[in-house]
């Protein structure tokens, strides 16, 4: 495939960065048939706007070639404000959802018109975002009204799908990213990227299926390898739990309307309390399995 024509700078050697790499703020690489992202791309500390739309980035998962060159999305780009990955037929976001947590200035993330059948829950933890574009993907689990609605509601929907174990895992990954960025800044980084995503018990995603089910047994891809499924990774979810979560999201969205009568709002709050009660009972049942 066609690679980005970037020099192979080491992230530990900031003193030898060229002035261009050090001060570049806008980079438009759209429509260039790019298939892989080289590691050097993430050593652009001032980059605020990156356009990678309409290339051939079918996967952003970590990869290593026969010459030990690394590709795929990783932590870095700490000044990023806008990232456009639309129109790439991407089916795997790799480490992007957790890595972007280190981009505190990020406001716009465009993932429209890709091949995402599974939307990672971790995207919901990118609370710095003001726009998250997911339209034009084959996923069917998130309603069109949510995808096209406010970013805050969409992020909340994704966060609410995370159970306590996966929420804790995501927070640990964010700590790893912060640690790696700090070491990179201080010039003491060795190879922290392999630690990110390593400890995940499972990767929760919103998945498209004919029955609108959600799978919870997929582990992150690392260098092209996958971990086999196990029974313990499946019992955290059930069709009933996902139905209840969807109902709760629907009711919360309706309660956000400003045009509700007092009686209607009271009825919605009552229904919401009942659904949450059912969800608690179902989660207890699943934990007992």
């Amino acid at each position: 495939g066609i690679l980005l024509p970037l020099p192979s700078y080491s992230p530990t050697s900031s003193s030898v960065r060229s002035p261009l790499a050090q001060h570049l703020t806008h980079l438009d690489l759209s429509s260039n048939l790019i298939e892989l992202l080289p590691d050097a791309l993430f050593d652009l500390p001032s980059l605020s706007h990156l356009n990678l739309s309409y290339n051939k980035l079918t996967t952003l998962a970590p990869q290593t070639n026969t010459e030990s060159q690394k590709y795929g999305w990783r932590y870095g780009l700490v000044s990023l404000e806008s990232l456009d990955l639309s129109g790439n037929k991407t089916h795997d976001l790799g480490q992007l959802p957790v890595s972007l947590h280190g981009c505190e200035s990020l406001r716009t993330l465009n993932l429209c018109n890709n091949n995402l059948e599974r939307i990672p829950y971790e995207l919901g933890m990118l609370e710095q975002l003001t726009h998250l574009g997911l339209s034009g993907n084959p996923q069917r689990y998130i309603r069109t009204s949510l995808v096209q609605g406010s970013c805050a509601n969409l992020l909340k929907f994704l966060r609410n799908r995370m159970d306590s174990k996966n929420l804790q895992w995501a927070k640990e990954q964010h700590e790893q990213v912060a640690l790696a960025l700090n070491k990179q800044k201080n010039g003491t980084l060795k190879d922290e990227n392999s630690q990110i995503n390593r400890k995940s018990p499972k990767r929760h995603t919103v998945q498209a299926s004919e029955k609108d089910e959600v799978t919870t047994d997929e582990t992150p891809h690392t260098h092209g390898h996958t971990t086999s499924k196990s029974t313990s990774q499946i019992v955290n979810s059930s069709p009933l739990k996902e139905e209840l979560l969807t109902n709760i999201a629907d009711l919360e969205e309706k309660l956000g309307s400003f045009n509700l009568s007092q009686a209607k709002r009271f009825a919605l709050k009552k229904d919401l309390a009942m659904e949450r009660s059912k969800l608690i009972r179902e989660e207890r049942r699943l934990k007992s399995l």
Side-chain angles (χ1 to χ4, degrees):
I2 298 177
L3 305 180
L4 296 179
L6 295 175
S8 182
Y9 291 120
S10 167
T12 63
S13 54
S14 58
S15 61
V16 298
R17 285 196 194 103
S18 71
L20 177 62
Q22 184 70 35
H23 301 293
L24 184 67
T25 60
H26 289 67
L27 183 59
D28 187 346
L29 294 168
S30 59
S31 304
N32 273 298
L33 303 179
I34 297 167
E35 296 181 7
L36 297 171
L37 296 178
D39 213 38
L41 175 66
F42 301 92
D43 193 30
L44 300 173
S46 300
L47 191 66
S48 59
H49 294 77
L50 176 59
N51 186 354
L52 289 165
S53 62
Y54 295 97
N55 283 293
K56 293 188 175 183
L57 296 168
T58 57
T59 178
L60 302 180
Q63 301 178 61
T64 305
N65 65 12
T66 55
E67 299 177 355
S68 298
Q69 294 174 316
K70 296 181 179 181
Y71 302 95
W73 197 274
R74 70 165 176 84
Y75 61 87
L77 302 179
V78 293
S79 300
L80 204 60
E81 299 175 15
S82 174
L83 174 61
D84 191 346
L85 285 162
S86 61
N88 273 289
K89 298 183 178 181
T90 305
H91 63 83
D92 185 355
L93 295 178
Q95 297 177 0
L96 180 137
V98 292
S99 296
L100 287 182
H101 195 267
C103 303
E104 297 179 356
S105 299
L106 187 65
R107 297 295 178 265
T108 299
L109 175 59
N110 189 351
L111 298 172
C112 295
N113 301 317
N114 281 298
N115 282 343
L116 295 174
E117 294 185 353
R118 301 170 179 178
I119 307 299
Y121 290 168
E122 296 92 345
L123 287 175
M125 300 186 72
L126 300 178
E127 298 183 59
Q128 70 269 41
L129 292 178
T130 58
H131 174 75
L132 173 58
L134 293 175
S135 61
N137 284 287
Q139 68 83 27
R140 304 189 195 103
Y141 195 80
I142 308 177
R143 300 184 313 280
T144 302
S145 60
L146 265 176
V147 172
Q148 297 180 350
S150 75
C151 180
N153 286 341
L154 180 54
L155 295 175
K156 183 178 180 181
F157 176 89
L158 293 171
R159 284 196 305 273
N160 285 345
R161 290 314 192 256
M162 301 181 73
D163 62 24
S164 58
K165 289 183 179 180
N166 282 268
L167 185 62
Q168 180 62 33
W169 171 80
K171 290 180 178 179
E172 291 173 357
Q173 298 306 299
H174 296 162
E175 291 174 0
Q176 290 286 345
V177 169
L179 179 62
L181 289 173
N182 186 56
K183 288 185 176 181
Q184 178 176 311
K185 180 180 179 180
N186 296 329
T188 58
L189 181 67
K190 295 181 180 179
D191 187 12
E192 297 289 340
N193 197 50
S194 60
Q195 300 299 321
I196 300 171
N197 274 330
R198 175 173 289 182
K199 299 179 181 179
S200 172
K202 45 195 168 292
R203 184 86 173 263
H204 273 195
T205 56
V206 176
Q207 178 187 16
S209 71
E210 293 300 324
K211 296 182 180 180
D212 282 344
E213 296 176 350
V214 173
T215 60
T216 60
D217 56 336
E218 180 181 335
T219 54
H221 294 280
T222 305
H223 304 305
H225 298 289
T226 58
T227 304
S228 60
K229 300 177 182 179
S230 66
T231 303
S232 63
Q233 294 175 327
I234 300 174
V235 296
N236 288 321
S237 186
S238 70
L240 176 57
K241 179 179 177 180
E242 300 307 326
E243 180 183 352
L244 291 170
L245 287 169
T246 301
N247 292 343
I248 289 172
D250 286 336
L251 291 167
E252 288 176 341
E253 184 179 6
K254 290 177 182 178
L255 278 169
S257 173
F258 293 102
N259 300 321
L260 292 176
S261 66
Q262 186 174 357
K264 181 64 174 177
R265 188 175 297 277
F266 177 80
L268 288 173
K269 286 184 176 180
K270 182 178 179 181
D271 290 342
L272 180 59
M274 292 179 62
E275 293 298 287
R276 285 175 173 168
S277 179
K278 293 177 183 178
L279 178 60
I280 291 173
R281 290 197 296 270
E282 177 64 8
E283 287 180 335
R284 288 174 179 171
R285 185 188 71 82
L286 291 172
K287 287 181 179 179
S288 68
L289 295 179

